[in-house]
Amino acid sequence: MVKQYHTKGREIIQSYVCAKKSTRFCASDIMEYLREHDITMNQTTVYRNLEKMTEQGTLIKTKNVSDGCCYYQYAEREHHCDEHLHLQCKKCGVVLHLNGSTMEPFYRYIREELGFTLEHKESILMGICENCSGSPA
C-alpha cells in the first residue's frame, strides 16, 4: 500500500474541493483562490494533487471540448456520480445529477437503439440553470 502524505497544500486543495462540491472547477480557479487568500503554492503542486484525487476517485475529470481545459468535480460517493450524467450551468457552474428512474429510458435508448455506451464520468450536458435564467422550470 502506498503511503498517503497529508501536506498543508493538499489540505488546502481538499478544503477548496469540499467547498465546491456542487460546481465544476479547473486548476486556474484554485490558483485564483490561492492568490485571493495570499497562499503561496506552486501550480505543479495543484495539478499533482488534482491528478491524485482523480486517481483515488475523489474527483471526476472532464475536458472541455471548446477550449481543451480540464475541469474537475467532486465525485459524491453517495450519489454514485460515475453511474449517471450531470447537467452543468454555463453561467454559474452548478452541477446537477441526472439519475433515477426518469433517466433509465434515455440510457436504454442510447444503449439499445443507438448501440452506444456512455462514459458517465466524462459526460456533462451544458445549459443554463433556473437561477441564472431567471425563470422557473
Side-chain angles (χ1 to χ4, degrees):
M1 176 175 248
V2 176
K3 183 175 181 178
Q4 292 291 321
Y5 292 98
H6 295 282
T7 63
K8 182 71 171 164
R10 183 173 179 82
E11 290 173 11
I12 291 168
I13 293 170
Q14 285 177 329
S15 176
Y16 179 88
V17 167
C18 287
K20 298 292 183 178
K21 281 187 176 181
S22 64
T23 60
R24 283 189 348 161
F25 55 88
C26 62
S28 63
D29 294 330
I30 295 175
M31 293 303 296
E32 182 178 328
Y33 168 83
L34 296 172
R35 276 191 296 278
E36 289 172 357
H37 291 86
D38 293 319
I39 300 169
T40 303
M41 188 181 303
N42 187 309
Q43 188 172 7
T44 303
T45 301
V46 171
Y47 279 105
R48 187 178 333 108
N49 278 284
L50 289 173
E51 288 305 315
K52 284 181 183 177
M53 294 172 80
T54 301
E55 290 169 8
Q56 294 168 346
T58 304
L59 297 176
I60 295 172
K61 178 180 176 181
T62 55
K63 191 170 188 177
N64 194 359
V65 176
S66 64
D67 63 6
C69 184
C70 290
Y71 286 87
Y72 302 86
Q73 102 184 37
Y74 182 72
E76 297 182 72
R77 298 195 197 292
E78 65 273 11
H79 288 283
H80 303 282
C81 286
D82 57 344
E83 298 174 8
H84 60 258
L85 295 174
H86 295 87
L87 294 174
Q88 181 192 359
C89 179
K90 290 171 70 172
K91 288 186 177 181
C92 71
V94 70
V95 176
L96 305 172
H97 303 273
L98 285 176
N99 53 8
S101 60
T102 58
M103 288 304 297
E104 188 51 41
F106 173 72
Y107 295 145
R108 189 177 320 110
Y109 170 77
I110 296 291
R111 186 176 53 252
E112 294 173 5
E113 298 294 323
L114 302 178
F116 196 82
T117 302
L118 286 174
E119 296 289 335
H120 294 105
K121 286 177 73 170
E122 299 174 6
S123 301
I124 294 181
L125 303 175
M126 303 298 288
I128 306 297
C129 73
E130 182 178 346
N131 288 337
C132 291
S133 70
S135 62

